[in-house]
Amino acid sequence: MVASEHPNADVRTRGFIQRSTVEEALTWIDSTLPEFARLGVEEVSLIDAAGRVLARDVTSCVNVPGFPRAMMDGFAVRAEDTQGSTPYNRLPLIVRGVSLPGNAFIGTLHAGEAVRIMTGAPMPNGADAVLPFELAQTDGERVMALGEVTPRKHVGQLGEDVGRGDVVARAGRVLRPQDLGLLSSLGFRTAPVIRRPRVRVVITGNELLPMGMAPEGFRITDANGPMLAALVARDAGAPVMSPIVPDDRDAILAAMRQEADVILVSGGSSVGQEDHVPTLLSEHGELAVHGIAMRPSSPTGMGRLDGRLVFLLPGNPVSCLCAYDFFAGRAIRAMGGRSRDWPYRQLQARLTRKLVSLVGRVDYARVCIRGSGAEPLAIGGASVLSSVTRADGFVIIPANSEGYPENAEVDVYLY
Ligand code: AMP
Ligand code: MG
């Protein structure tokens, strides 16, 4: 289909001619993502790498430990010299010196000898076990063994933790603090990670005042900018904010063409006289989906412009949040190498009141958790942002359902 032929390309003052299903919109995103999933690799300091996605397998160039080392404080010994020792049959060993972490004992241990050793210190040549202090009693120049140790007892062997050539972390892993500790111990300073998708947030609307200004007269203050910046950051994208853009075709197009991997346009995506964004996208790029059978967020759109993935999000703040979560967030997470699933914890709860929907439409119903119950909040009111600040989470009513009766057990996604 030629881009400009989208049936909903110009629905200004007419209303949507048809709606895509949520499923179709998700399918379009998933099938389009491979074009956009080549963000490239950046090396970041291990200090900043927690939570980043590893771009390739990391292989160790060294053995850890790099030398046999003591795993207990005590005495390095030849295990055979302790054979037969008990608290009632103490066997004497001559203490030849000491081995400390970073400061090895120089020399070789012979029969009947011991070296005082601390955890992490290199085992002396000739020693094959550590007699812990608990099994030893010092007696001048000598130490008495009070029990037996077997060969290799309390000794960390060369490469026991990590061997040279071992893959220690696989591409796609979300780096945890302990991974960074391991990488550092292998000599790495940086990790190769997938670059964060840069997400340009374009807020449109003649009526909007920027963050920090009190609403005045008929003007309202932008709610979507800070909300979208936070959502993008949550999904590990790098939000880039543009100044608020008026409902002006050239200004909107210029903002949509700024440097980015993903463009989020808030406002102007519906059927109002000043809703220019869908026609702009279909004229200059591709409007792949516009108008989705869901509530709220039905005026959502998506497509491409000059190699950027574009999401048209309704201006109503609740619709904007919902449309971001259904579509844009999924794409941003996937581009960054992360799970497409929602980053919300799930909880099962019983509805305290019925939730009504229409077959053919997906509903996003805000609920409060009261004990083991989920109490639906007013389902309408996509403009009422406090409905989502008061809610603890939301319930999705799928397209094939007319809703849920009171007492039905539902899955709640917790904000
Ligand atoms: P629109 O999607 O442009 O038709 O806007 C729908 C409704 O959301 C209108 O009442 C707008 O004033 C309001 N709105 C649009 N953008 C924002 C925004 N960034 N913050 C708060 N409200 C907005
Ligand atoms: Mg508007």
Side-chain angles (χ1 to χ4, degrees):
M1 192 201 299
V2 177
S4 58
E5 278 177 5
H6 192 286
N8 292 339
D10 190 357
V11 288
R12 283 174 294 179
T13 73
R14 291 195 288 147
F16 287 103
I17 289 146
Q18 60 157 63
R19 284 192 166 83
S20 305
T21 63
V22 168
E23 222 47 61
E24 285 164 350
L26 294 176
T27 302
W28 182 81
I29 293 171
D30 288 349
S31 64
T32 309
L33 272 170
E35 284 173 43
F36 295 96
R38 288 180 221 97
L39 288 181
V41 180
E42 62 183 350
E43 287 286 337
V44 299
S45 163
L46 296 182
I47 299 299
D48 301 315
R52 299 295 300 268
V53 179
L54 201 58
R56 26 172 202 269
D57 293 355
V58 175
T59 304
S60 177
C61 303
V62 296
N63 287 306
V64 178
F67 49 88
R69 67 182 174 193
M71 304 295 276
M72 293 278 281
D73 297 324
F75 293 89
V77 297
R78 292 157 32 119
E80 63 189 79
D81 290 352
T82 66
Q83 296 315 294
S85 63
T86 70
Y88 310 104
N89 182 33
R90 305 166 174 211
L91 297 182
L93 299 165
I94 298 174
V95 181
R96 282 286 171 225
V98 61
S99 180
L100 299 174
N103 197 355
F105 169 82
I106 309 295
T108 300
L109 204 86
H110 300 102
E113 295 179 342
V115 163
R116 186 186 287 265
I117 196 163
M118 303 304 137
T119 303
M123 291 293 287
N125 286 331
D128 63 359
V130 173
L131 182 73
F133 281 137
E134 291 78 357
L135 290 180
Q137 194 171 55
T138 27
D139 173 18
E141 303 277 273
R142 298 187 313 171
V143 60
M144 310 301 288
L146 311 182
E148 297 181 347
V149 284
T150 50
R152 300 166 75 103
K153 191 77 183 168
H154 306 311
V155 177
Q157 301 298 329
L158 178 81
E160 180 180 86
D161 194 356
V162 177
R164 184 187 313 223
D166 286 357
V167 175
V168 290
R170 298 257 174 218
R173 184 174 175 92
V174 178
L175 292 170
R176 305 193 214 153
Q178 54 268 48
D179 296 322
L180 306 175
L182 180 64
L183 293 177
S184 180
S185 71
L186 303 179
F188 294 99
R189 176 193 290 277
T190 61
V193 298
I194 299 177
R195 183 168 66 70
R196 288 183 197 280
R198 285 161 309 169
V199 182
R200 168 79 53 180
V201 178
V202 178
I203 304 294
T204 72
N206 287 337
E207 73 280 32
L208 298 176
L209 294 169
M211 185 176 76
M213 293 187 68
E216 202 190 306
F218 297 127
R219 305 196 68 187
I220 64 170
T221 305
D222 170 36
N224 295 344
M227 181 175 73
L228 289 171
L231 289 164
V232 169
R234 177 199 70 188
D235 290 330
V240 189
M241 309 306 286
S242 291
I244 290 175
V245 182
D247 293 310
D248 171 86
R249 295 175 63 83
D250 294 340
I252 296 171
L253 187 61
M256 288 168 71
R257 286 199 150 140
Q258 285 172 299
E259 190 59 20
D261 301 303
V262 179
I263 309 278
L264 304 182
V265 186
S266 147
S269 72
S270 188
V271 299
Q273 179 182 316
E274 298 297 326
D275 291 341
H276 304 297
V277 194
T279 48
L280 275 173
L281 189 57
S282 73
E283 284 164 29
H284 297 273
E286 180 199 352
L287 179 67
V289 174
H290 185 215
I292 301 180
M294 64 192 298
R295 189 169 80 173
S297 312
S298 75
T300 301
M302 57 198 75
R304 300 177 174 85
L305 178 68
D306 307 338
R308 299 158 173 78
L309 194 52
V310 181
F311 290 92
L312 311 186
L313 308 175
N316 265 320
V318 178
S319 304
C320 183
L321 170 65
C322 171
Y324 175 91
D325 262 347
F326 262 89
F327 308 111
R330 177 186 181 91
I332 291 166
R333 289 192 298 276
M335 279 173 84
R338 292 164 196 278
S339 165
R340 291 169 195 214
D341 297 340
W342 266 328
Y344 295 119
R345 271 188 308 125
Q346 265 174 275
L347 182 92
Q348 297 222 312
R350 287 194 183 280
L351 286 176
T352 61
R353 272 186 287 121
K354 68 176 177 184
L355 267 178
V356 183
S357 177
L358 283 182
V359 170
R361 185 183 77 194
V362 171
D363 273 25
Y364 172 91
R366 281 80 75 201
V367 298
C368 280
I369 300 295
R370 306 256 182 263
S372 60
E375 182 179 316
L377 292 173
I379 196 166
S383 61
V384 184
L385 196 51
S386 63
S387 75
V388 276
T389 58
R390 277 187 284 123
D392 296 311
F394 59 91
V395 171
I396 299 301
I397 308 167
N400 62 10
S401 164
E402 288 188 302
Y404 299 121
E406 182 179 334
N407 258 328
E409 186 156 84
V410 291
D411 286 324
V412 179
Y413 294 90
L414 296 172
Y415 286 128

